[in-house]
Amino acid sequence: MQGRGVLDGAFALLDAVEQAGEARLSALAADSGLPKSTARRLLEQLVELGALERSGGLFRMGSRMFRLGMGWQPSPGILAGARGPVHELARATGATVALFVLREGRTIAVTAVPGELEPLLPVRAGMTFPWTTAAGKVLVAGAPSGLPVDGPPGAWRREAATIRDAGFAVDHQEVVDGVCCVAVPLRDRTAAAVAALCVLVDSTRPLPALTDAAIRAGRAISATIG
């Protein structure tokens, strides 16, 4: 394997480790589609680099990947700018408040402050959800056409227009029973939506006041990154 092929193989193994949590060489070779000899060589190199760790015959994600991942954010300065408004919104509402991005057709939590939903739905950085969450909808609605998402329903075009006009999206137990969400876009200096601020509450909670609070917090965060 040379050049791009080596990188593709290494990332295929990293993806396989991420999915498995920890696994043996034979399983990782099969999951990544690599010959066993190639997988062995790449795994040894990844261990030497600190990207993976080996315990006995099991491979798991290494501390270097964790350290590098902690430095990622969807837009420069967004995490620092969001920290205050996110914590303030969580304190004021009792809700779980999180930042999400859209990647590979799914929404990924970037950071989260737990709230009343913690026992039912603990949200942590790195967790993924379908794009049909409120956060995913608000990002897909504002994205250029042709974004790779899995089969939006026929009514999506009308729903997307409504979301763009309103400036927020709502999820009424569409993804998780008992959970409702409100999400607003976070925009950079070009007005592009780089992330979504999402408020998650119990389905019995009224949403209008939460929506207003989320919109205000979203504007405050967007101002810091814009």
Side-chain angles (χ1 to χ4, degrees):
M1 299 176 70
Q2 298 292 329
R4 174 79 181 272
V6 174
L7 290 176
D8 286 344
F11 274 96
L13 286 169
L14 290 171
D15 285 341
V17 171
E18 180 192 14
Q19 292 296 320
E22 60 178 16
R24 297 185 180 278
L25 165 63
S26 55
L28 294 174
D31 291 345
S32 63
L34 295 172
K36 195 171 181 179
S37 60
T38 301
R40 179 185 292 107
R41 185 176 71 254
L42 290 176
L43 287 170
E44 290 174 353
Q45 292 174 351
L46 289 168
V47 169
E48 290 176 3
L49 292 169
L52 294 178
E53 294 178 353
R54 179 168 45 204
S55 177
L58 295 172
F59 293 88
R60 58 174 177 254
M61 207 62 76
S63 60
R64 190 173 189 181
M65 292 298 295
F66 173 77
R67 177 170 55 81
L68 292 173
M70 291 292 287
W72 181 85
Q73 51 185 328
S75 182
I78 190 172
L79 293 182
R83 187 174 297 113
V86 164
H87 280 82
E88 182 179 345
L89 183 58
R91 284 195 299 269
T93 62
T96 294
V97 182
L99 263 60
F100 287 89
V101 295
L102 188 70
R103 294 292 188 277
E104 300 176 8
R106 296 177 64 82
T107 47
I108 305 174
V110 178
T111 186
V113 176
E116 63 187 26
L117 282 180
E118 183 70 8
L120 177 61
L121 181 62
V123 180
R124 301 289 184 268
M127 290 181 63
T128 62
F129 296 88
W131 76 268
T132 49
T133 60
K137 286 180 178 181
V138 83
L139 292 171
V140 173
S145 60
L147 193 71
V149 293
D150 293 332
W156 168 244
R157 187 171 298 178
R158 293 190 298 275
E159 185 178 0
T162 299
I163 291 170
R164 288 192 294 271
D165 290 341
F168 64 89
V170 177
D171 164 11
H172 291 283
Q173 304 186 77
E174 295 166 34
V175 177
V176 179
D177 288 341
V179 177
C180 286
C181 312
V182 176
V184 298
L186 303 179
R187 302 188 182 279
D188 64 11
R189 69 187 63 183
T190 70
V194 294
L197 175 69
C198 189
V199 180
L200 301 91
V201 294
D202 183 274
S203 59
T204 60
R205 291 276 300 270
L207 294 183
L210 289 169
T211 302
D212 291 341
I215 290 172
R216 290 194 297 271
R219 288 173 178 167
I221 297 170
S222 293
T224 67
I225 61 175

